[in-house]
Amino acid sequence: MTWKGFNISIMTVVAIVAVAIAVLVAYSIGRGVLQSNYDELLDEIEDLKAKEKESAVVKRVSQQMEAIAYDQMNLSNQQRDRAEEQSRLAEANAAKAEEQSRLAQDNAQRAQQQSLLAERNAAEAEKAADDARKQRDAATYAKSISDTLSFRTLSRSLGTTSMAKFESNEDELGRILAYSSWYFADKYKGNPYQKETFKALMLATKEFKVYTIPRRSAVNSVMVLKGQRDGCVAVTNYGEVVLIEDGKMHMLLQDNNFDFRSVWLNERYVYALSYAGDLCVLDYEKLLTTVKLPSDHYVKILQIDASTLLCVAHRTLVWYDLKTKNVINSVIPSKKVSTAVRRNNKLLIFYTDGTYVEMDGAGNVTPMKKFAEGVVTSALHVESEGKLFLGMKDGDIVVITDDDNFFASLSGHIAQVTGLTYSNNTLVSSCYDREMLIWYLPKLKDTRAERNKNKSKGTPTEWLVPANYDGNAWGLSVSTKGIWAWLGLSDGRIVRHCISVPYMSKQVYSKIKRGLTMEEWMQYIGSNVEYVKIK
């Protein structure tokens, strides 16, 4: 092959072409390799750049973290320093507190010792004060006893002198001395019910009245009028029924066919029980009817309830209905009856052999234990006191509680107790020894313990008033207010006693116009007692 200007063989061309192709191929291959390497290098560079960036970020983060850590370290160091400082302060405070605690303990021990010493001193002082109080109280008590005895003696002396003045008709001075007798007894807690004071006040008030039945028949039973009426109804063994009201005596019935032994009354009627068994009914003016009871010796009328009376005989008990005016039941006891009393809803029946039973309305009996030796001749139950009073044949009065236990024994009478009545905290008893005794129940002492130990009897002698009425008392009744006691005597007299010392003292005080003069004071009382102007 020939080109312009060149003579080139085919082999050469082929060789050149081959070389060129080879070069091109080599170049292409080399360039591809280079390009690949270049690309790889670029990738590596990019990776390095990324890693560098990441490293830079990490470095910055690390630096920041290092800075934070450094700050935290500084803060931790500061906190540690503060903690160490606080620890040192705490240790110092603890040491100081421990020292203060030791000081406090020492002070507490010293205070406790001082407190114990103070307590011992206080106890010794209290004991000394208590001993002093006891000595003072003993001295005061001894003085009060001495004063009480002295003024009691003075009170009695004034009462006796007062009675003497009344006998010599010196009534004004007698009243002044009677009141002075009560004044000293009351002020110094003596016994204003003592006999001398009591009788002096009675003379000063003239509160002692006697009514005499013309036939002088024995007054067997007395009962005060109901309500506000001042007086009583009395019955005698000669068949007399007597009404005393407002100071006047009226004969309601006089029939010696009757021998009346007991009386009971309400606002409308009088019921008089005869020994032979006749129950006479009157209307305060005349006899209305006579009810014949079973034959026996009757001694007492007893109210059972609002509409029933019990007529008590030695061998018979008869129930009488106030509404139908008929006998509704009768019972024959197994033994001879001495007296009976109603206690709550049951009857107590006392026999002459010293035994007693409890009986219901149908007559069924339950034996009771014996509270006292001897025969019960008078019995009274006081519901407000919760006590049963038994007057004995030998003169004692035995007090029993409602639960059937012994409470006390009152010894004052020396013969058979014939009557017991109660009003306004006061028990009044009558007896064949011709004395009426007044017992002030709030002063009554429980002597069960003494009785259990030595069988002794307790008697409130400070509140026992003997009032001699010179006759056997077979009837006794006391007014509702506890001021008057009515006595029916065996010689036909009916006596009205004032039994209230407070009432009489007020009456005397209203009558006197002056107290003792200084000269009278020196004469009857003396210079050892400070002058007191009574009125």
Side-chain angles (χ1 to χ4, degrees):
M1 182 176 291
T2 306
W3 280 297
K4 269 180 198 185
F6 291 95
N7 293 315
I8 304 171
S9 66
I10 294 171
M11 290 302 290
T12 303
V13 171
V14 170
I16 292 170
V17 170
V19 169
I21 293 169
V23 168
L24 287 171
V25 170
Y27 173 79
S28 178
I29 294 171
R31 185 176 180 182
V33 171
L34 288 174
Q35 185 67 42
S36 176
N37 291 337
Y38 178 76
D39 291 336
E40 290 179 359
L41 183 59
L42 287 177
D43 291 337
E44 290 178 0
I45 290 171
E46 289 299 323
D47 290 340
L48 289 174
K49 286 182 179 180
K51 289 180 180 179
E52 184 179 3
K53 288 180 182 180
E54 183 179 356
S55 176
V57 171
V58 170
K59 182 177 180 181
R60 284 196 298 273
V61 171
S62 176
Q63 287 175 349
Q64 291 175 356
M65 293 295 292
E66 183 179 359
I68 291 171
Y70 184 77
D71 292 339
Q72 289 179 342
M73 183 184 69
N74 289 335
L75 180 61
S76 176
N77 289 336
Q78 292 175 359
Q79 290 176 344
R80 185 192 64 215
D81 292 341
R82 283 196 296 271
E84 288 178 354
E85 181 65 23
Q86 290 175 351
S87 176
R88 286 193 296 272
L89 289 174
E91 289 177 356
N93 290 334
K96 186 177 180 180
E98 185 177 359
E99 180 64 22
Q100 291 176 345
S101 175
R102 284 196 298 270
L103 289 174
Q105 289 177 356
D106 293 340
N107 291 334
Q109 289 178 352
R110 285 194 294 271
Q112 186 176 9
Q113 292 173 354
Q114 291 175 351
S115 175
L116 292 173
L117 181 60
E119 287 179 1
R120 285 196 295 269
N121 292 336
E124 292 176 358
E126 179 64 25
K127 185 177 182 302
D130 187 55
D131 292 340
R133 281 195 297 269
K134 288 180 179 178
Q135 292 175 356
R136 182 196 64 199
D137 292 344
T140 302
Y141 178 74
K143 185 177 184 302
S144 68
I145 292 295
S146 176
D147 288 346
T148 298
L149 293 174
S150 175
F151 285 113
R152 184 180 301 171
T153 302
L154 174 61
S155 177
R156 287 175 176 166
S157 174
L158 291 171
T160 301
T161 306
S162 171
M163 288 186 282
K165 295 300 179 182
F166 283 116
E167 290 179 1
S168 60
N169 296 321
E170 298 179 68
D171 290 358
E172 182 184 21
L173 185 55
R175 283 192 290 270
I176 295 171
L177 291 172
Y179 185 81
S180 300
S181 175
W182 171 85
Y183 173 84
F184 284 106
D186 181 72
K187 180 178 180 180
Y188 294 98
K189 301 187 185 303
N191 178 15
Y193 277 82
Q194 62 192 351
K195 183 187 297 186
E196 294 81 3
T197 302
F198 187 85
K199 290 187 174 181
L201 290 173
M202 186 172 290
L203 290 172
T205 56
K206 301 186 184 301
E207 298 292 359
F208 180 88
K209 294 183 179 179
V210 179
Y211 302 87
T212 304
I213 296 176
R215 296 184 62 177
R216 293 278 184 175
S217 49
V219 181
N220 290 320
S221 181
V222 176
M223 189 171 185
V224 296
L225 297 176
K226 298 295 182 179
Q228 301 299 318
R229 301 168 68 184
D230 178 23
C232 71
V233 173
V235 296
T236 73
N237 61 343
Y238 277 97
E240 294 155 315
V241 180
V242 178
L243 168 66
I244 299 176
E245 186 172 16
D246 297 330
K248 297 180 180 180
M249 186 170 67
H250 310 278
M251 190 70 67
L252 300 182
L253 178 65
Q254 188 173 16
D255 187 340
N256 58 14
N257 290 314
F258 300 119
D259 177 4
F260 293 123
R261 298 301 177 94
S262 185
V263 65
W264 184 86
L265 51 93
N266 55 25
E267 289 80 1
R268 295 183 61 188
Y269 301 109
V270 176
Y271 298 84
L273 180 63
S274 177
Y275 188 65
D278 298 298
L279 181 61
C280 297
V281 184
L282 303 91
D283 65 353
Y284 289 95
E285 291 184 1
K286 61 182 183 300
L287 177 64
L288 299 179
T289 185
T290 300
V291 180
K292 193 67 177 178
L293 306 179
S295 180
D296 203 340
H297 296 155
Y298 289 83
V299 294
K300 185 174 183 179
I301 298 179
L302 181 65
Q303 184 180 7
I304 299 298
D305 53 43
S307 61
T308 311
L309 297 179
L310 178 70
C311 299
V312 181
H314 289 315
R315 295 288 183 179
T316 310
L317 300 175
V318 178
W319 280 257
Y320 176 80
D321 190 283
L322 294 170
K323 294 180 179 179
T324 64
K325 299 180 176 56
N326 292 315
V327 172
I328 57 175
N329 188 24
S330 64
V331 171
I332 299 177
S334 59
K335 300 177 183 179
K336 186 177 180 180
V337 176
S338 61
T339 191
V341 68
R342 180 174 67 92
R343 182 175 67 171
N344 301 326
N345 296 322
K346 295 293 183 69
L347 286 172
L348 300 184
I349 309 300
F350 300 92
Y351 298 135
T352 56
D353 65 354
T355 61
Y356 24 101
V357 297
E358 188 176 72
M359 180 180 292
D360 61 20
N364 301 313
V365 299
T366 302
M368 296 183 65
K369 64 181 180 181
K370 207 169 187 179
F371 301 116
E373 295 297 329
V375 178
V376 178
T377 57
S378 184
L380 174 70
H381 178 251
V382 181
E383 185 174 353
S384 61
E385 294 283 337
K387 293 181 178 63
L388 175 67
F389 298 88
L390 305 179
M392 309 301 292
K393 192 173 183 178
D394 64 2
D396 285 342
I397 299 173
V398 179
V399 186
I400 307 298
T401 61
D402 272 353
D403 56 359
D404 290 343
N405 286 314
F406 174 88
F407 185 83
S409 181
L410 312 181
S411 299
H413 290 299
I414 59 174
Q416 177 177 320
V417 178
T418 59
L420 293 170
T421 186
Y422 168 90
S423 182
N424 196 25
N425 293 324
T426 303
L427 176 73
V428 182
S429 59
S430 59
C431 179
Y432 283 149
D433 61 8
R434 298 189 174 188
E435 284 194 332
M436 176 182 68
L437 301 185
I438 303 168
W439 312 83
Y440 186 61
L441 295 185
K443 294 292 183 178
L444 186 62
K445 297 178 181 178
D446 185 347
T447 60
R448 282 177 284 189
E450 296 178 6
R451 177 183 172 90
N452 293 335
K453 289 180 181 179
N454 52 25
K455 306 296 183 182
S456 64
K457 297 177 180 179
T459 303
T461 54
E462 284 298 304
W463 299 96
L464 183 150
V465 184
N468 191 300
Y469 40 77
D470 196 26
N472 291 328
W474 290 351
L476 173 66
S477 187
V478 173
S479 63
T480 305
K481 295 181 180 180
I483 297 176
W484 312 109
W486 292 84
L487 290 146
L489 305 183
S490 58
D491 59 3
R493 289 180 297 154
I494 301 171
V495 178
R496 188 187 79 162
H497 266 288
C498 182
I499 60 172
S500 173
V501 167
Y503 173 83
M504 289 191 290
S505 64
K506 290 178 182 179
Q507 293 296 311
V508 175
Y509 187 78
S510 67
K511 291 181 179 180
I512 61 176
K513 298 178 181 179
R514 64 175 181 85
L516 292 171
T517 65
M518 184 60 73
E519 292 77 14
E520 291 169 339
W521 186 277
M522 297 299 293
Q523 179 179 355
Y524 300 112
I525 296 177
S527 59
N528 294 330
V529 180
E530 183 180 357
Y531 178 79
V532 177
K533 187 177 181 180
I534 294 175
K535 193 170 187 178

